[in-house]
């Protein structure tokens, strides 16, 4: 249970190795220039202490200036960033350290709390070489923990098979329609369950993003009904759902009011029935006439029973 008296900066998940990560952070994807600088300043002023960025976002310099100007001591901030060009094969593995040094300079810091591969791009021996470069940064004390982003179960298993220092953190899409994977895999286990069972902290992004669906989660009637019952916004309900699954959140916003709204997640709780209803939404978009999918999701809407009542596909086609 999440304590109602816990401040947003002090509600933390502990990574393997003892690194403490605030579970409510601030994402900066698509924030640029002055808008990014202001938003990070507001997030820190409102008590958030977890900032997420990436090489590909092109905003690390603005984030570095915002942290410097905020007056918040660096050691009080959990700073996470990603290597993009090397793991995606756009630069050779030998460039990883140079890329990282440039990121440190932009962020005006001597270390980051988590450094992660932005996606599961390169594979095999190239991935092994890239990860060894990541491990050297960890061993040199320039990174406190290693992580990955946009990794499914198969990619995690490959990395796990040879990593000397296992990733302590995974950041994936996590919303009611896509809880852990952008494209549903054939794995019988969810990415989140796999990661958590292997001791990894999980961070979810895009809880309110509609992509690749037409209906934004914030307009889903199930979400709206739960939000009305709690007198909360749909965004708060969706991020609270993530937290109750043990998944940290990094909502992005460009206004002070929205940042404050997204941080107000610790003084209400979703019931078990509400959690099951939200868990079941993924099955409405992924299931077919043959199977309830994802296979690990709650069949909250009894789709399995409905399937049993359908005639075989061949008979349907004849009809």
């Amino acid at each position: 249970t999440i304590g109602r008296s816990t401040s947003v900066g002090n509600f933390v998940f502990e990574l393997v190795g003892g690194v403490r990560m605030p579970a409510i952070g601030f994402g900066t994807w698509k924030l640029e220039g002055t808008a990014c600088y202001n938003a990070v300043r507001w997030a820190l002023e409102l008590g958030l202490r977890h900032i997420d960025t990436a090489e590909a976002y092109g905003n690390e310099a603005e984030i570095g200036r915002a942290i410097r100007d905020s007056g918040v001591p660096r050691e009080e901030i959990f700073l996470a960033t990603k290597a993009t060009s090397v793991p995606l094969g756009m630069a050779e593995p030998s460039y990883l350290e140079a890329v990282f040094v440039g990121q440190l300079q932009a962020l005006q810091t001597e270390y980051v709390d988590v450094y992660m591969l932005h996606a599961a791009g390169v594979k095999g021996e190239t991935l092994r070489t890239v990860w060894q470069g990541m491990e050297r940064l960890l061993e040199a004390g320039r990174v406190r923990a290693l992580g990955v982003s946009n990794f499914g179960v198969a990619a995690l298993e490959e990395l796990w098979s040879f990593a000397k220092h296992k990733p302590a953190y995974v950041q994936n899409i996590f919303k009611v329609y896509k809880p852990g994977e952008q494209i549903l895999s054939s794995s019988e286990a969810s990415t989140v369950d796999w990661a958590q069972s292997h001791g990894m902290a999980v961070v979810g992004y895009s809880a309110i993003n509609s992509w690749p669906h037409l209906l934004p989660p914030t307009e889903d009637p199930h979400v709206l009904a739960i939000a009305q019952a709690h007198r909360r916004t749909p965004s708060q309900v969706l991020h609270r759902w993530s937290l109750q699954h043990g998944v940290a959140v990094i909502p992005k916003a460009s206004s002070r009011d929205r940042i404050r709204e997204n941080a107000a997640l610790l003084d209400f709780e979703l019931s078990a029935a509400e959690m099951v209803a939200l868990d079941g939404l993924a099955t409405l978009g992924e299931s077919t006439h043959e199977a309830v999918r994802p296979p690990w999701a709650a069949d909250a809407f009894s789709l399995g029973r409905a399937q049993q009542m359908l005639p075989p596909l061949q008979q349907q086609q004849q009809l």
Side-chain angles (χ1 to χ4, degrees):
T1 301
I2 300 170
R4 291 174 179 249
S5 61
T6 306
S7 67
V8 67
N10 291 325
F11 175 52
V12 300
F13 293 165
E14 188 166 312
L15 279 60
V16 172
V19 177
R20 291 164 61 84
M21 175 184 72
I24 302 173
F26 184 68
T28 62
W29 181 51
K30 289 190 173 181
L31 286 176
E32 300 175 351
T34 302
C36 179
Y37 173 86
N38 288 338
V40 173
R41 285 291 306 272
W42 292 330
L44 293 170
E45 289 171 7
L46 291 167
L48 292 167
R49 292 295 181 265
H50 173 172
I51 307 296
D52 178 84
T53 182
E55 175 195 350
Y57 296 175
N59 59 15
E60 289 172 315
E62 286 76 17
I63 291 170
R65 288 195 300 109
I67 291 173
R68 179 199 64 197
D69 295 347
S70 72
V72 178
R74 170 65 184 89
E75 61 271 17
E76 293 184 12
I77 298 172
F78 183 93
L79 184 58
T81 192
K82 311 168 188 72
T84 307
S85 56
V86 171
L88 288 180
M90 296 182 289
E92 292 297 318
S94 58
Y95 285 96
L96 179 66
E97 184 175 3
V99 169
F100 177 71
V101 168
Q103 291 176 273
L104 289 186
Q105 291 173 345
L107 290 165
Q108 302 187 39
T109 184
E110 296 180 355
Y111 70 96
V112 295
D113 296 278
V114 165
Y115 196 46
M116 69 192 97
L117 303 183
H118 202 154
V122 297
K123 302 183 185 303
E125 284 304 310
T126 305
L127 175 60
R128 184 192 297 264
T129 301
V130 171
W131 192 253
Q132 287 171 344
M134 298 281 283
E135 291 174 329
R136 286 192 290 273
L137 297 176
L138 178 71
E139 291 168 353
R142 303 163 91 180
V143 173
R144 297 183 69 209
L146 296 178
V148 295
S149 182
N150 301 307
F151 269 55
V153 172
L156 287 169
E157 289 176 336
E158 179 187 4
L159 181 57
W160 211 262
S161 70
F162 60 73
K164 173 183 169 185
H165 296 289
K166 313 295 188 189
Y169 166 116
V170 60
Q171 182 185 127
N172 277 12
I173 191 170
F174 193 76
K175 61 179 182 178
V176 288
Y177 303 148
K178 295 284 185 181
E181 297 177 316
Q182 292 186 11
I183 301 174
L184 182 64
S185 71
S186 59
S187 174
E188 290 297 313
S190 77
T191 302
V192 171
D193 287 345
W194 193 99
Q196 291 178 336
S197 70
H198 285 75
M200 300 174 71
V202 180
V203 176
Y205 65 78
S206 291
I208 65 173
N209 193 327
S210 61
W211 183 91
H213 302 86
L214 294 177
L215 179 68
T218 52
E219 296 177 15
D220 188 289
H222 306 85
V223 176
L224 291 173
I226 293 171
Q228 184 175 16
H230 287 273
R231 296 184 179 180
R232 296 287 171 163
T233 67
S235 176
Q236 289 172 324
V237 166
L238 292 163
H239 287 105
R240 177 70 198 201
W241 169 79
S242 296
L243 289 178
Q244 288 185 215
H245 275 298
V247 175
V249 295
I250 47 171
K252 178 200 74 176
S254 56
S255 75
R256 188 183 182 95
D257 287 344
R258 284 297 306 280
I259 296 169
R260 180 185 290 108
E261 171 193 329
N262 289 336
L265 306 176
L266 301 180
D267 58 351
F268 73 105
E269 186 170 0
L270 303 179
S271 69
E274 290 167 337
M275 289 293 291
V276 169
L278 294 176
D279 290 349
L281 293 180
T283 65
L284 298 182
E286 300 286 356
S287 296
T288 69
H289 66 281
E290 296 178 335
V292 177
R293 302 184 73 208
W296 34 262
D299 187 11
F301 303 104
S302 301
L303 299 182
R305 190 185 337 169
Q307 287 171 343
Q308 294 171 5
M309 298 171 64
L310 288 173
L313 180 59
Q314 187 175 4
Q315 294 180 27
Q316 291 182 48
Q317 292 173 338
Q318 291 173 349
L319 293 175

